């Protein structure tokens, strides 16, 4: 296995041939779902990839799967939910968290439903996650709080009520809905990176890498596209492996990593 590399080829073949069992600390990726973008005719063998990700993920490792659904003939496809259940029921992953990537704007206005501005960020773990570095950047609205009674399973209230003031830190742990500005020039530093049809924010990749891995860990993106995950992994002193079936996108990834 060669780390800090971009490999051009089908991710199924590359993972099977070159990545050993229990070797990857973190995977952050977004699959080409529902044919919403043109990936040079590539069709993802999702089930096989899901099993391979479990095989190569270390015990305690995490897979962040960023996905959504297309609306076809007036109905959402439900692809994201099928992916979610397959990871759990067929592969052995645990559903550690169901997070939401909220976009600052929408691309396709809707006439008979609310405008779509989010994708799921499913966080799957192979057992209990070995790393959790919470991002503490949510401003607390108050400086103090009070102890509160909590309702028990039988409906009664616990005896933890107190009038003692507890001082809070200036910032608390953020919630699991992450909002990012998605305008051109903000989502990526390089304007030419937008030649890829489905780039996601550098900050999104950065935040997951910071949360679920440590310096020196190996971060995988089996469908690396424009190289966002790889670039942020390098910048954060993680090792990386990127795979893509498109020579154009591999060249783009290499160029972005070099500029990191």
């Amino acid at each position: 296995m060669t780390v800090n590399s971009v490999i051009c080829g089908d991710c199924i073949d590359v993972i099977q041939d070159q990545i050993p069992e229990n070797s990857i600390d973190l995977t952050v990726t977004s699959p080409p779902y529902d044919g919403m973008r043109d990936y040079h005719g590539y069709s993802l063998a999702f089930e096989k990839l899901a099993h391979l990700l479990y095989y190569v993920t270390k015990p305690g490792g995490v897979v962040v799967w960023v996905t959504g659904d297309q609306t076809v003939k007036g109905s959402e496809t439900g692809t994201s939910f099928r992916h979610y259940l397959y990871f759990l029921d067929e592969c052995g992953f645990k559903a550690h968290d169901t997070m939401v990537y909220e976009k600052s704007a929408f691309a396709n206005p809707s006439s008979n439903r609310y405008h779509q501005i989010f994708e799921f960020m499913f966080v799957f773990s192979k057992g209990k996650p070995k790393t959790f570095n919470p991002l503490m950047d949510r401003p607390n609205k108050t400086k103090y709080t009070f102890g509160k009674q909590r309702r028990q399973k039988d409906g009664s209230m616990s005896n933890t009520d107190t009038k003692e003031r507890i001082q809070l830190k200036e910032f608390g742990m953020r919630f699991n809905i992450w909002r990012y500005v998605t305008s051109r020039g903000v989502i990526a530093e390089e304007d030419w990176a937008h030649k890829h049809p489905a780039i996601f924010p550098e900050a999104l990749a950065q935040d997951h890498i910071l949360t679920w891995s440590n310096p020196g860990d190996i971060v995988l993106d089996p469908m690396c596209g424009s190289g966002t995950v790889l670039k942020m992994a390098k910048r954060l002193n993680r090792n990386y492996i990127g795979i893509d079936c498109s020579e154009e996108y591999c060249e783009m990834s290499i160029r972005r990593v070099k500029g990191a």
Side-chain angles (χ1 to χ4, degrees):
M1 178 175 67
T2 303
V3 297
N4 300 325
S5 62
V6 179
I7 305 166
C8 192
D10 187 300
C11 60
I12 303 296
D13 297 333
V14 173
I15 293 174
Q16 286 183 143
D17 297 341
Q18 301 187 37
I19 301 182
E21 182 179 9
N22 298 329
S23 59
I24 301 299
D25 297 284
L26 171 65
T27 295
V28 180
T29 196
S30 181
Y33 59 88
D34 291 341
M36 292 182 69
R37 299 289 188 273
D38 179 14
Y39 290 92
H40 305 301
Y42 178 71
S43 179
L44 174 66
F46 161 70
E47 292 84 359
K48 199 162 188 177
L49 176 58
H51 284 287
L52 285 171
L53 289 178
Y54 187 86
Y55 177 79
V56 301
T57 298
K58 290 180 180 178
V62 163
V63 171
V64 179
W65 191 260
V66 183
T67 190
D69 298 290
Q70 185 182 20
T71 299
V72 179
K73 296 181 179 179
S75 177
E76 293 185 344
T77 59
T79 297
S80 59
F81 299 104
R82 283 191 288 272
H83 285 185
Y84 176 87
L85 293 174
Y86 196 88
F87 272 107
L88 304 187
D89 297 340
E90 304 297 332
C91 300
F93 280 103
K94 293 183 179 298
H96 185 66
D97 200 353
T98 299
M99 302 181 66
V100 169
Y101 156 32
E102 181 187 350
K103 305 173 186 179
S104 61
F106 54 90
N108 300 305
S110 300
S111 59
N112 64 349
R113 58 174 55 84
Y114 294 110
H115 299 314
Q116 170 63 262
I117 61 165
F118 82 94
E119 293 183 17
F120 291 109
M121 300 187 294
F122 296 130
V123 180
F124 301 111
S125 61
K126 190 172 180 177
K128 180 181 178 180
K130 61 183 177 63
T131 301
F132 177 56
N133 305 311
L135 301 175
M136 308 292 287
D137 56 4
R138 176 181 56 83
N140 280 316
K141 294 182 179 179
T142 60
K143 292 184 178 180
Y144 299 95
T145 188
F146 295 89
K148 295 181 180 179
Q149 289 186 320
R150 299 184 184 277
R151 189 169 296 280
Q152 307 299 298
K153 288 184 178 180
D154 61 2
S156 65
M157 300 299 293
S158 64
N159 296 318
T160 59
D161 188 28
T162 175
K163 294 183 179 180
E164 180 183 358
R165 293 204 309 175
I166 302 172
Q167 186 168 359
L168 299 175
K169 295 180 179 179
E170 183 180 0
F171 294 96
M173 185 170 69
R174 68 167 65 173
F175 301 134
N176 66 351
I177 297 175
W178 291 358
R179 187 177 191 271
Y180 297 100
V181 176
T182 52
S183 59
R184 195 180 183 98
V186 175
I187 197 169
E189 294 173 326
E190 309 90 349
D191 187 65
W192 49 264
H194 291 270
K195 292 180 180 179
H196 188 277
I199 187 171
F200 60 50
E202 291 179 352
L204 182 153
Q206 170 187 276
D207 290 349
H208 279 297
I209 292 169
L210 285 171
T211 301
W212 309 111
S213 71
N214 294 309
D217 283 353
I218 300 176
V219 178
L220 170 68
D221 187 347
M223 297 162 285
C224 64
S226 66
T228 301
V229 171
L230 314 184
K231 172 183 176 179
M232 303 318 293
K234 180 180 179 182
R235 183 170 286 179
L236 296 170
N237 297 315
R238 275 67 167 173
N239 295 299
Y240 63 86
I241 300 174
I243 308 168
D244 205 280
C245 62
S246 166
E247 290 186 8
E248 176 189 357
Y249 297 155
C250 286
E251 291 172 0
M252 187 182 294
S253 292
I254 293 170
R255 184 180 174 188
R256 290 188 79 193
V257 168
K258 286 182 177 180

